[in-house]
């Protein structure tokens, strides 16, 4: 079950998933690795980039 989280809950090395829809069913649409200090590393379609984690994420949980 997802719960509300803050950036303080993340640790370097954590995977961050953005879930979207593909063909009407839920699927993972993007993944990044948390580097710490609000920074992530991810492939943005043309290159591997370091960026800032958006404050728009609101839930966390684990994958079993």
């Amino acid at each position: 079950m997802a719960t509300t989280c803050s950036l303080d809950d993340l640790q370097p090395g954590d995977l961050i998933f953005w879930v979207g829809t593909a063909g009407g069913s839920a699927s993972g649409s993007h993944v990044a690795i948390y580097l710490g200090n609000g920074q992530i590393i991810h492939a943005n379609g043309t290159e591997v980039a370091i960026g800032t984690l958006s404050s728009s994420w609101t839930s966390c949980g684990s994958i079993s």
Side-chain angles (χ1 to χ4, degrees):
M1 172 183 249
T3 58
T4 301
C5 300
S6 74
L7 274 176
D8 295 332
D9 295 320
L10 293 174
Q11 297 181 20
D14 282 350
L15 297 177
I16 301 167
F17 295 88
W18 285 263
V19 178
T21 57
S25 62
S27 64
S29 58
H30 194 68
V31 64
I33 301 170
Y34 186 65
L35 298 175
N37 298 319
Q39 300 290 301
I40 60 171
I41 187 166
H42 64 115
N44 66 13
T46 58
E47 63 186 4
V48 174
I50 294 176
T52 303
L53 181 62
S54 168
S55 61
S56 65
W57 73 290
T58 58
S59 63
C60 66
S62 60
I63 298 174
S64 306

